[in-house]
């Protein structure tokens, strides 16, 4: 008999149809106006051949081969072992590494989204376990927004993510704004997702409401498809990595014509005079005028002047998306977008001014927040060491080296044991061949995984874990006001166990099970976290008792009404009474603190720095196409690349690469042809799709295809499947943030006329007994 059960993922809420414990299909909720197609595709991945069914240990590691610079990771066979043996191996290795090398030699790798759920949060589970065991080296910031996270607290103050509650919401834009310039666009595909889940997707309809209200949009991006067709957006193709130059040209035009908001800049900002000196060329002899900007960006001089006029002549909003800061000097377009909004006259006016990351997650621009929800409790980490998130390969390869980071000098620790639970470093890191070389260095790599993806294949000990469909939990998404029950839909595949079950067993062996579990079962934890949420909210939320919540599957939280510190509207009204949490209390167009760091790649005010790789540089003679490795439409990062929706979008089993027809014709490439995308760092196969939505000189290859090297472990080998991070550079944005610069990469593309190798990305590794 069929049963219908709620399912919550980062890409929305669904209904699972189950019969006798077998998952038949996953359906969208009827009240979701724009459900993601990723959900139904999860069914094919639930029991596919890539599932990790039993604990497995790399044969060379198990046989005791030299564990330093052992180059067999990624090529070796695995040996399946019992859970008891696996727990013994991991616990003994943790003891050995801590006793011989110290607690900082353990790296707690848990970057990324993992799966939804307030209790079964992979990062919280891992970090609590490692902290109670003595501590671990952590990472800081995210691959998505590292440059933004570091620079914005200097410019507008507050927590790195506080801007999300301080910028205009979509309904306010529709009511009050008339003109929006979106640097990096507003790709609706990205709004499929929301951290922790969501009940209903709202971004599409809210964007449509803005257009119906008469708001005009300009898409400044190499991709026309970065805005929805119904927005009727004006497309200004821009040379990748030159958004800052475009903004400087607009700002110069505002300044020399007297269109800028002198009152706001004087009362609510600091340092405009120093920035203006740079803008007009007094400090370096180069006026950053519209003609100068046009020569760099490819946007016409007249279009730049027109943008300056329209931004200052009407109520306007400057948007900047996350992609523009994942590049060389990625701090600059974020900082400059704030300055441009401050100059426009609309900063701090209802529905206008400045905002970042619109459409990147569904809740961004939809709601300013929600009531707090209890999560699995954290424990202070006794180890103070951390690394910037994108510097893992540097840390492995160069322990003891010092680097700059946000005004500090960090010494990279020696990592001897990597414990990864949640996330996929062989998806999100750049220059995968460089990472492969560094990944051979530590003694041991332990991975929790549900599927034999690349990270699992490059591990020493792989522990099979349950998916979000295979455990009880409840969801509380970012800024989403709904709590949704997540009952187990099916039993875990094979011998899979939950992350919590694994850590409990390890904590028992290591002598701190009681501290880790607080004597609660998993079911008791789920109930406890819900009941704690209910108790802490009290009369502010009429939440049902837990048993009733579990039966009816959902409850609603009250909206977060603030106050939201750092309001730009309050700043405009009275900067002395409502200062920002910056050193000056105002927007820092010039930051004395950043200036004091003395960085040659990030000065005290926003500037144009030429990227290491861009279409205006010398390297473009050899590699004349700029690679845009943006987020995929068919999965979340690399999650469910083995699902039906992602597989259906492949071209002959490869990830599609989209290029302009003119670039394709010059290379003899036709639609649907398998091509080789390459540069000096690596190469991959992909299926060519031709579209005028991509500007000439640019190719678009989404991230997230499971890396499938022909000769795993050999640097430079061909990737059969289409992972762009064999091509991207492992180079920091700047000394300020040390963030990734994935979108600063040049390539070329050619037809692949050799016999096609089979795609083995979703096949398990070889096993021995």
């Amino acid at each position: 008999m069929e049963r219908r059960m709620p399912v919550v993922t980062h890409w929305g809420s669904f209904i699972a149809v189950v019969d006798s414990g077998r998952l038949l299909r996953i359906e969208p909720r009827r009240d979701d106006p724009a459900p993601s197609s990723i959900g139904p595709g999860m069914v094919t991945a639930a029991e596919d051949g890539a599932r990790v069914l039993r604990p497995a240990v790399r044969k060379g590691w198990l046989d005791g081969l030299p564990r330093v610079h052992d180059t067999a990771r990624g090529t070796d066979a695995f040996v399946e072992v019992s859970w008891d043996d696996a727990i013994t191996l991991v616990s003994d290795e943790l003891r050995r590494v801590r006793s011989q090398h110290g607690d900082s030699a353990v790296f707690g790798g848990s970057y990324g989204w993992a799966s939804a759920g307030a209790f079964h949060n992979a990062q919280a589970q891992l970090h609590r376990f490692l902290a109670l065991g003595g501590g671990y080296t952590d990472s800081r910031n995210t691959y998505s927004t590292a440059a933004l996270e570091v620079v914005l607290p200097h410019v507008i103050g507050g927590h790195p993510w506080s801007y999300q509650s301080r910028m205009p919401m979509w309904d306010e834009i529709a009511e009050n704004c008339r003109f929006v310039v979106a640097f990096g666009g507003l790709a609706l595909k990205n709004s499929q997702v929301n951290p922790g889940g969501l009940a209903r997707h709202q971004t599409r309809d809210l964007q449509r409401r803005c257009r119906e209200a008469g708001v005009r949009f300009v898409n400044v991006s190499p991709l026309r498809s970065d805005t929805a067709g119904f927005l009727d957006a004006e497309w200004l193709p821009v040379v990748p990595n030159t958004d800052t130059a475009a903004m400087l040209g607009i700002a110069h035009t505002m300044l020399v014509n007297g269109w800028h908001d002198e009152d706001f800049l004087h009362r609510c900002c600091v340092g405009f005079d120093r920035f203006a000196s740079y803008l007009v060329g007094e400090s370096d002899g180069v006026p950053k005028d519209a003609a100068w900007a046009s020569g760099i960006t490819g946007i016409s001089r007249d279009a730049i002047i027109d943008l300056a006029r329209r931004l200052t002549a009407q109520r306007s909003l400057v948007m900047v998306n996350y992609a523009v800061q994942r590049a060389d000097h990625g701090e600059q377009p974020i900082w400059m977008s704030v300055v441009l909004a401050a100059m426009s006259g609309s900063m701090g006016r209802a529905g206008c001014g400045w905002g970042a990351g619109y459409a990147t997650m569904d809740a961004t621009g939809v709601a300013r927040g929600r009531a707090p929800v209890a999560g699995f409790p954290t424990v202070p980490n006794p180890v103070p060491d951390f690394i910037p998130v994108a510097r893992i390969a540097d840390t492995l390869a160069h322990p003891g080296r010092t680097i700059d980071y946000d005004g500090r000098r960090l010494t990279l620790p020696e990592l001897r044991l990597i414990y990864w639970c949640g996330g996929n470093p062989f998806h999100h890191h750049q220059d995968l061949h460089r990472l492969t070389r560094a990944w051979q260095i530590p003694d041991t790599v332990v991975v929790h995984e549900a599927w034999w993806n690349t990270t699992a294949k490059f591990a020493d000990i792989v522990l099979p874990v349950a998916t979000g469909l295979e455990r009880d939990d409840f969801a509380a998404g970012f800024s989403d006001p709904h709590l949704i029950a997540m009952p187990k839909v099916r039993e875990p595949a094979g011998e899979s166990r939950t992350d919590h079950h694994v850590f409990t067993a390890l904590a028992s062996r290591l002598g701190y099970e009681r501290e880790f579990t607080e004597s609660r079962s998993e079911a008791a934890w789920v109930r406890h976290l819900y009941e704690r949420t209910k108790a802490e909210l009290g009369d502010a939320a009429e939440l049902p008792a837990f048993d009733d919540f579990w039966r009816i599957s959902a409850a609603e939280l009250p909206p977060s009404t603030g106050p939201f510190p750092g309001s730009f509207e309050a700043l405009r009204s009275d900067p002395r009474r409502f200062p920002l949490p910056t050193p000056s209390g105002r927007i820092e167009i010039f930051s004395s603190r950043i200036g004091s760091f003395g960085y040659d790649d990030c000065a005290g005010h926003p500037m144009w720095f030429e990227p290491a790789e861009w279409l205006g540089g010398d390297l473009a003679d050899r590699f004349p196409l700029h690679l845009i490795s943006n987020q995929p439409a068919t999965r979340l990062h690399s999650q469910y690349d083995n699902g039906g929706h992602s597989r259906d979008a492949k071209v002959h089993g490869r990830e599609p690469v989209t290029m302009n027809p003119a670039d394709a014709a010059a290379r003899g490439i036709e639609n649907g042809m398998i091509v080789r995308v390459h540069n000096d760092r690596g190469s991959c196969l992909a299926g060519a799709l031709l579209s005028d939505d991509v500007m000439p000189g640019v190719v678009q290859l989404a991230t997230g295809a499971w890396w499938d090297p022909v000769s795993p472990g050999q640097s430079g080998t061909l990737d059969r499947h289409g992972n762009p991070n064999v091509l991207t550079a492992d180079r920091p944005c700047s000394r300020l943030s040390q963030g990734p610069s994935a979108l600063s990469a040049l390539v070329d593309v050619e037809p692949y006329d050799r016999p096609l190798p089979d795609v083995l990305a979703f096949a398990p590794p070889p096993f021995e007994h």
Side-chain angles (χ1 to χ4, degrees):
M1 181 178 178
E2 290 188 357
R3 297 175 58 210
R4 300 173 65 81
M5 306 175 70
V7 168
V8 185
T9 71
H10 296 303
W11 43 93
S13 300
F14 302 89
I15 300 297
V17 181
V18 181
D19 188 358
S20 301
R22 187 167 66 93
L23 178 62
L24 300 180
R25 60 187 179 276
I26 293 178
E27 301 174 347
R29 279 176 44 148
R30 293 179 180 176
D31 59 347
D32 189 343
S36 169
S37 297
I38 300 173
M42 296 166 62
V43 177
T44 57
E47 295 183 2
D48 73 0
R51 278 305 295 262
V52 183
L53 299 176
R54 283 168 288 280
V57 184
R58 184 170 67 82
K59 187 176 186 300
W61 189 93
L62 193 62
D63 290 346
L65 294 178
R67 295 180 182 177
V68 177
H69 297 273
D70 172 9
T71 59
R73 287 192 184 111
T75 63
D76 222 349
F78 281 81
V79 177
E80 293 182 332
V81 300
S82 69
W83 265 110
D84 187 65
D85 286 345
I87 294 299
T88 299
L89 290 171
V90 175
S91 57
D92 285 353
E93 188 65 356
L94 278 167
R95 283 195 191 97
R96 184 191 70 82
V97 169
R98 289 187 190 278
S99 65
Q100 294 182 7
H101 305 287
D103 296 315
S104 64
V106 177
F107 181 68
S110 189
Y111 171 78
W113 296 63
S115 54
F119 171 61
H120 290 291
N121 179 299
Q123 187 175 89
Q125 295 280 344
L126 174 65
H127 287 176
R128 178 181 172 89
F129 166 73
L130 292 178
L132 287 169
Y136 59 98
T137 292
D138 198 1
S139 62
R140 186 162 297 181
N141 305 127
T142 67
Y143 279 85
S144 296
T145 56
L148 176 151
E149 291 173 62
V150 174
V151 75
L152 273 186
H154 291 287
V155 178
I156 62 173
H159 185 274
W161 291 91
S162 67
Y163 70 90
Q164 298 223 356
S165 64
R166 300 158 67 182
M167 65 191 202
M169 299 294 105
W170 285 113
D171 56 352
E172 298 167 340
I173 297 169
E175 182 177 351
N176 299 284
C177 189
R178 299 277 62 87
F179 184 57
V180 172
V181 180
F183 292 93
L186 289 164
L188 271 180
K189 64 179 175 61
N190 298 335
S191 68
Q192 292 181 93
V193 304
N194 198 58
L198 73 159
R200 292 183 294 275
H201 293 82
Q202 301 181 66
T203 297
R204 183 198 65 182
D205 290 350
L206 288 168
Q207 284 192 11
R208 195 186 300 274
R209 187 185 305 171
C210 289
R211 184 64 193 94
E212 292 170 350
V215 182
R216 301 297 304 183
F217 289 82
V218 176
N219 173 29
V220 184
S221 168
L223 307 177
R224 189 203 314 266
S225 55
D226 271 346
T227 51
F230 61 75
L231 287 180
D232 299 322
E234 176 185 347
W235 181 34
L236 291 181
V238 61
V239 171
N241 290 189
T242 66
D243 301 84
T244 301
M247 296 182 209
L248 287 167
I250 297 168
H252 181 278
T253 304
M254 290 178 178
L255 178 64
V256 298
N257 287 283
W259 296 342
H260 58 298
D261 187 346
E262 290 191 63
D263 174 68
F264 184 84
L265 292 168
H266 174 72
R267 292 189 306 110
C268 303
C269 305
V270 294
F272 181 71
D273 53 342
R274 298 186 64 166
F275 171 73
S277 175
Y278 166 76
L279 202 59
V280 298
E282 291 177 358
S283 58
D284 61 2
V286 180
K288 315 307 179 296
D289 59 18
W292 169 87
S294 178
I296 293 171
T297 65
I299 302 173
S300 73
R301 173 183 174 276
D302 289 346
I304 290 171
I305 293 172
D306 185 56
L307 285 179
R309 179 185 58 78
R310 288 193 281 174
L311 278 168
T312 54
Q314 56 194 318
R315 296 176 72 94
S316 62
L317 174 62
V318 175
M319 292 180 172
V320 60
N321 223 327
Y322 296 160
V324 301
Q325 53 89 67
R326 290 195 293 271
D328 281 342
H329 312 289
E331 301 88 357
Q332 304 307 311
I334 298 297
W335 196 348
M336 186 59 218
S337 66
V338 176
V339 175
L340 193 62
M343 294 178 68
S344 73
S346 290
M347 191 72 160
R349 302 191 190 278
C352 303
W354 174 88
Y358 287 97
T360 302
M361 301 176 290
D362 186 78
T364 302
V366 174
R368 285 193 162 85
R370 57 152 169 77
V373 174
F376 193 51
T378 59
V379 174
N381 182 8
V383 172
D385 295 338
F386 70 90
I387 63 171
V389 68
R391 302 276 64 83
I392 178 65
D394 286 344
T395 305
L396 291 171
H398 304 291
R401 177 177 290 181
T402 58
I403 63 170
D404 289 297
Y405 171 76
D406 198 15
R408 302 173 59 172
R409 292 288 291 171
L410 303 180
T411 300
L412 301 178
E414 183 178 26
L415 303 179
R416 306 299 291 257
L417 186 150
I418 296 175
Y419 204 131
W420 212 283
C421 174
N424 180 0
F426 282 87
H427 147 64
H428 57 243
H429 198 74
Q430 281 65 63
D431 195 346
L432 290 179
H433 294 305
R434 182 173 188 262
L435 178 64
T436 297
R437 294 191 294 272
W439 203 255
Q440 310 299 330
I441 295 172
D443 297 359
T444 303
V445 178
V446 181
V447 168
H448 288 202
E449 253 305 336
W451 288 279
W452 282 107
N453 60 19
T454 316
T455 298
K457 292 174 182 176
F458 274 78
D460 297 312
I461 303 174
V462 182
L463 304 179
V465 290
T467 71
L469 299 174
E470 299 168 345
R471 59 199 187 199
D472 290 335
D473 210 332
F474 69 92
F478 168 72
S479 289
D480 188 85
H482 301 89
L483 296 181
I484 307 174
M486 298 172 60
K488 181 167 60 177
V489 168
R490 46 166 282 159
E491 291 301 316
E495 297 179 17
S496 300
R497 300 179 177 180
T498 65
D499 295 314
H500 184 79
H501 187 125
V502 176
F503 290 132
T504 298
L506 287 168
S508 177
R509 292 287 181 92
L510 295 168
Y512 55 91
E513 176 184 0
R514 185 172 180 179
E515 291 84 352
F516 179 72
T517 66
E518 297 184 9
S519 301
R520 293 189 184 94
S521 67
E522 293 185 19
W525 267 112
V526 174
R527 179 183 290 269
H528 169 72
L529 295 179
Y530 177 86
E531 290 178 343
R532 199 175 102 199
T533 299
K534 176 177 170 61
E536 290 177 354
L537 291 177
D539 294 338
E542 297 180 0
L543 296 180
F546 178 79
D547 290 335
D548 293 331
F549 163 71
W550 203 251
R551 176 177 51 83
I552 62 179
S553 301
E556 191 159 350
L557 298 167
S560 183
T561 57
F564 300 103
S567 163
F568 301 123
E569 291 185 51
L571 176 73
R572 175 176 278 276
S573 69
D574 192 335
R576 292 189 177 181
R577 186 180 174 192
F578 302 109
L580 298 184
T582 60
S584 65
R586 294 181 281 176
I587 294 171
E588 304 230 340
I589 294 175
F590 181 89
S591 168
S592 296
R593 179 160 174 74
I594 292 179
S596 72
F597 299 159
Y599 297 155
D600 58 1
D601 53 7
C602 188
H605 59 72
M607 296 176 60
W608 161 250
F609 293 90
E610 183 173 342
E613 292 184 40
W614 71 300
L615 293 175
D618 294 340
L619 190 61
D621 293 338
R622 294 179 55 220
F623 298 108
L625 300 174
H626 196 114
L627 174 67
I628 301 294
S629 53
N630 58 356
Q631 295 303 319
T634 59
R635 56 188 174 265
L636 170 57
H637 295 292
S638 66
Q639 288 188 45
Y640 285 96
D641 187 34
N642 58 334
H645 188 49
S646 184
R647 288 202 189 198
D648 288 346
K650 307 283 184 182
V651 179
H652 301 296
R654 274 81 182 172
E655 191 68 17
V657 58
T658 307
M659 58 192 308
N660 188 276
D663 292 325
R667 291 163 174 79
I669 294 171
E670 298 178 357
N671 199 60
M673 181 181 289
I674 296 300
V675 297
R676 176 177 172 262
V677 189
H678 63 97
N679 59 20
D680 288 336
R681 286 179 289 270
S683 63
C684 66
L685 300 183
L689 297 180
L690 310 187
S691 174
D692 288 324
D693 282 353
V694 177
M695 67 180 285
V698 169
V699 294
Q700 178 266 321
L701 178 62
T703 62
W706 290 5
W707 189 36
D708 188 22
V710 169
S711 300
Q714 293 185 17
S715 181
T717 191
L718 177 71
D719 169 39
R720 293 172 280 225
H721 194 207
N723 188 312
N725 279 329
V726 299
L727 306 161
T728 56
D730 188 9
R731 180 176 53 232
C733 290
S734 79
R735 294 157 67 192
L736 181 74
S737 72
Q738 294 287 340
S741 56
L743 293 177
S744 295
L746 296 179
V747 301
D748 206 351
V749 182
E750 63 185 13
Y752 189 76
D753 54 7
R754 303 176 187 176
L756 285 178
D758 291 336
V759 174
L760 301 178
F762 308 127
F767 293 95
E768 295 187 13
H769 298 289

